Structures are given as structure tokens and as C-alpha cells.
Amino acid sequence: MSNKHFIPLSVPNIAGNEWKYVKDCLDTGWISSVGSYVTQFEQMVADFVGAKYGVAAVNGTAALHIALLLSGVKQDDYVILPNLTFVASANSIKYLGAEPLLIDADPDLWQMDLDLLEEFLENETDEKNGELIYIKDGRRIGAIMPVHILGNMCDMDRFLSIVKKYPLPIVEDATESLGTKYKGINAGKFSPLACLSFNGNKIISTGGGGCIVTDDEALAKHAKHLTTTAKARNDEYYHDEVGYNYRLVNVLAAIGVGQMELLPSFIKRKKEYVAFYKKELTGVADIRFQKELPEVDTNGWLFTIQTDKQQQLLDHLNANNILSRRFWMPMNMLPMYKDCVYVQKRDNSKYIYNTCLSIPCSTNITGEELSIVVREIKEAIG
Ligand SMILES: Cc1ncc(COP(=O)(O)O)c(C=O)c1O
């Protein structure tokens, strides 16, 4: 029996006070770029992550752009990041005229491969006048961007111990990992500036939105300044540097406040269905799961399985109204990034791309829908 009822991949779950707070914005006229919900949302996000400050932004990409800029990334620098990520990570580097330097993925964790990173830094870089240089062409490496892929994390202790030997600022792309912890420490706490996203498919959503989190007051103030057109006076249009209109408007922040109130229940729900999927799909055909380190407590953001029968499964699920998606195409396979330096031995990124698919995992997915997804996976390849 084929499934007639459409099951989305990962959609917003508006289940709390969002309507009430949005109505408040509409009733009072505070719908635009300033307002109490913006401040409240920033504080709620910062408090949740355990950071001192939050600076809301129009989306996660804009947050990354500003975080890289404030970390000192300049035109013609390289920025190291995983080859397997969503395109926005690499684009934010390009916006500064810098160049992505791609590291292949670990075959089990699907995060940046730390062996490759370590080898690359040891053998292919040099330090000159306190700066890290890529030996082959003498260009500076301005920063490194770990991305917590699918809300999971790599061995962060090892990552930090590798990176701290070099003058290399870290900018965490924590856009997918709100609520993920490594040894009890939240994603977003592993670099001076880290970025979150609240787009439609994230664990909480403001429709579109992002946030920079930091413990540094000066960086927080500067981030706020740059995301709000760098206006330096209240009484006049005096702007003291090239700023950006990257504000999250009050009406979206109001949704965000409602969503933050629900976040603990969303994380709980994600954990329940991850456990359900793992129990039901273990031993079905050649299905494998993303490895999780014992130190990592993931937010279970986007449930993704691996099988050599990827295309067969994708075709079957989508034909049965169950939205499932292939993994992101690796950066080195995109036209803009195909000539980037790509550090790899076995091109695991390509294999992961060719074998992984994400399956429905909205926080409001029902038990019945979960059972239908499992049934259809078994039907397709079981
Ligand atoms: C890894 C990664 N980086 C950056 C972004 C960009 O976030 P946004 O869509 O809010 O701009 C996303 C989400 O889309 C993402 O998954």
C-alpha cells in the first residue's frame, strides 16, 4: 500500500506562544528592525548556549560573514573548512574575497577529518611574522571554520589541541547544532565568535534568522554595529565604517522567543525519534548511521542514513510522498569551488554524498508518520 499522505523532511513547528508574541508586534507596530523581542531573543539564545552575548542576524550566512570579518579574515586569505558542508559556509568566506581551503570528511563522523587537518597544518603550512602561510603559494590562512555537520561534532578536544599550535582563529559554524553538547559544553562555545541559524529546516525557526554568540563584549558590540549599518550616532545618519543591513526584525525575533521556549521539548522529541529510527532500521539492508562520539550529545537535527542503495531508496520514498534528500553536494563539486585547494586521500565526501540521505525528522512528526517512513524504507531496500 503506497503512502498518500505527504511527510515533509524538516519543517517548522509553531506550537507555543509564537502567535501571541507576533500579534503583540503587530498590535504595537514594533515589527521592524528594533524592539524588545530582538533583545530578548538574543539573550535567550546566548543564555541557552552559555555565552554572554548574542547578536541576532538576518540569517546564519550573514552571521558567518560578520564573524569571519571580525576574526580578521581578509581578501586573498584562505579559510579552512570541511569539503562536506552546506554551501553557505563557503560562500561566507567568498563574500570577504577570501578562498575556501577544503578538508575531506571523516568517513564515519562525516565531520572534517582531523588526521588530514593535522597532516596538512604540519606539512604544508609555515609561520611567518606570527601568521600562518600556505607554503605552496605563500598566501595567508586567516581562519578555520569547523562545521558541526548535521548537529553532530568531531573530537573537539583533539581539534582544539591541533589548532592551538597555530595562529589560526576559529569561527564555529554551529548553524545546525543548537543544543548539541561536547562533554557538556554547548556547540557555539568553542570559538570566540560562533554562528547559529534559524532557517525553516533548523531545530527552531524564525522563518529566516541567525545569531552570533560570543563571551567578548567588544566583539559583541562590534558585531551589533556591523549588522546594523554601522550607525555611530542616534541623532544623525553618521556611519563610521561599511556596515551591513543584516538585522533580524522584531516580528521574526518574536517567533524566535516562542521557539526558544520550546527548544528543550524539541530536543527531547528529536532524541525520541532518533532512537526509534535507529532501533527500527538497524540491520535493514546495508543501512548505516552517522557515528557519534561518546563525548557528544547531539541535537539530532537532520536524521541521515547511509546505504549503497541511495538512489533506489530516494526514488521510492519520494514517489511515496516521503520527502527525503541526498546529502549536500561537496564543495569541490560545485562550479565556484571546483578549483579550491582540496586536502583529501580517498575523497570520502563524494562517497558520503553518493550514499547518504536525510529522512523526515520534523519535531512535529507523528508516531504514525515515523512508522510509515520505516515501512517504506523496508519496502524499498529491506
Ligand atoms: C552548515 C550551514 N552553514 C550555514 C548555513 C546558513 O544558514 P542560513 O540558511 O540561516 O543562512 C546553514 C543553513 O542553512 C548550514 O546548514
Side-chain angles (χ1 to χ4, degrees):
M1 190 183 40
S2 75
N3 174 51
K4 297 277 175 272
H5 158 78
F6 178 71
I7 306 177
L9 184 62
S10 177
V11 289
N13 184 358
I14 307 298
N17 289 317
E18 296 89 341
W19 269 108
K20 188 172 134 200
Y21 300 152
V22 168
K23 184 170 184 308
D24 183 31
C25 295
L26 300 178
D27 286 345
T28 58
W30 287 90
I31 58 167
S32 193
S33 44
V34 286
S36 61
Y37 287 106
V38 175
T39 325
Q40 197 183 337
F41 182 56
E42 289 175 333
Q43 199 52 54
M44 284 176 98
V45 173
D47 287 348
F48 185 89
V49 169
K52 284 198 182 132
Y53 307 95
V55 178
V58 66
N59 53 49
T61 315
L64 284 169
H65 179 191
I66 297 300
L68 287 168
L69 192 160
L70 288 175
S71 304
V73 172
K74 297 194 178 57
Q75 178 143 3
D76 295 329
D77 279 355
Y78 285 113
V79 174
I80 300 174
L81 80 162
N83 186 40
L84 195 65
T85 182
F86 179 64
V87 69
S89 318
N91 287 348
S92 66
I93 294 165
K94 269 286 184 192
Y95 297 164
L96 289 162
E99 197 63 18
L101 193 157
L102 307 165
I103 309 278
D104 196 12
D106 176 293
D108 303 315
L109 294 169
W110 312 343
Q111 315 288 315
M112 188 190 297
D113 185 321
L114 298 184
D115 290 335
L116 285 177
L117 174 69
E118 188 167 36
E119 266 178 51
F120 171 79
L121 289 171
E122 259 172 40
N123 302 328
E124 302 202 45
T125 68
D126 211 354
E127 261 184 73
K128 271 192 201 137
N129 307 323
E131 296 192 325
L132 192 66
I133 305 294
Y134 180 41
I135 294 171
K136 214 169 259 174
D137 60 14
R139 276 164 73 174
R140 191 175 90 113
I141 305 176
I144 182 163
M145 181 191 284
V147 185
H148 308 308
I149 308 291
L150 300 176
N152 195 354
M153 274 171 133
C154 67
D155 177 345
M156 288 306 288
D157 280 348
R158 178 160 179 230
F159 172 82
L160 295 172
S161 79
I162 293 170
V163 172
K164 77 167 186 236
K165 293 186 226 150
Y166 305 92
L168 197 54
I170 303 170
V171 175
E172 239 182 305
D173 181 340
T175 47
E176 300 176 356
S177 52
L178 179 64
T180 296
K181 291 187 166 91
Y182 177 86
K183 291 190 174 171
I185 300 167
N186 272 291
K189 285 290 291 176
F190 292 87
S191 59
L193 293 154
C195 300
L196 298 161
S197 162
F198 316 112
N199 75 18
N201 65 20
K202 294 297 182 288
I203 190 157
I204 67 155
S205 180
T206 55
C211 193
I212 299 171
V213 284
T214 180
D215 284 337
D216 185 308
E217 189 181 359
L219 284 175
K221 279 190 176 150
H222 203 173
K224 190 73 182 172
H225 191 59
L226 284 173
T227 51
T228 55
T229 73
K231 191 158 174 266
R233 282 197 209 138
N234 278 335
D235 59 340
E236 241 189 314
Y237 290 101
Y238 177 71
H239 306 258
D240 58 1
E241 56 188 315
V242 178
Y244 300 82
N245 184 4
Y246 279 174
R247 292 178 271 229
L248 183 75
V249 294
N250 201 44
V251 74
L252 295 184
I255 298 177
V257 170
Q259 290 273 286
M260 280 305 291
E261 291 170 354
L262 297 170
L263 179 57
S265 66
F266 287 173
I267 295 172
K268 186 166 166 279
R269 180 73 188 120
K270 290 259 182 195
K271 283 186 193 304
E272 283 165 7
Y273 74 62
V274 168
F276 176 82
Y277 272 146
K278 283 193 169 167
K279 181 168 148 280
E280 293 294 324
L281 296 176
T282 296
V284 174
D286 64 339
I287 289 177
R288 286 95 73 196
F289 307 108
Q290 185 183 28
K291 184 177 164 188
E292 285 166 21
L293 297 173
E295 298 83 0
V296 176
D297 180 14
T298 87
N299 69 356
W301 170 55
L302 192 66
F303 195 73
T304 300
I305 56 177
Q306 188 168 38
T307 166
D308 290 343
K309 297 172 182 164
Q310 183 207 49
Q311 194 59 54
Q312 189 182 329
L313 186 52
L314 276 168
D315 290 346
H316 181 88
L317 292 178
N318 288 320
N320 279 281
N321 280 324
I322 298 169
L323 193 64
S324 52
R325 286 261 169 81
R326 208 184 269 266
F327 220 112
W328 309 294
M329 192 173 283
M331 294 305 98
N332 75 312
M333 291 173 70
L334 302 177
M336 322 74 88
Y337 301 124
K338 69 177 178 12
D339 296 325
C340 288
V341 177
Y342 174 31
V343 181
Q344 59 95 18
K345 281 184 185 154
R346 288 179 205 91
D347 201 3
N348 296 324
S349 308
K350 192 170 180 186
Y351 181 67
I352 294 166
Y353 162 68
N354 278 327
T355 50
C356 286
L357 68 156
S358 307
I359 59 175
C361 53
S362 309
T363 50
N364 53 9
I365 192 167
T366 64
E368 194 191 341
E369 288 171 326
L370 287 169
S371 298
I372 293 172
V373 177
V374 167
R375 183 190 75 201
E376 292 304 328
I377 290 174
K378 289 180 179 166
E379 170 87 22
I381 61 168

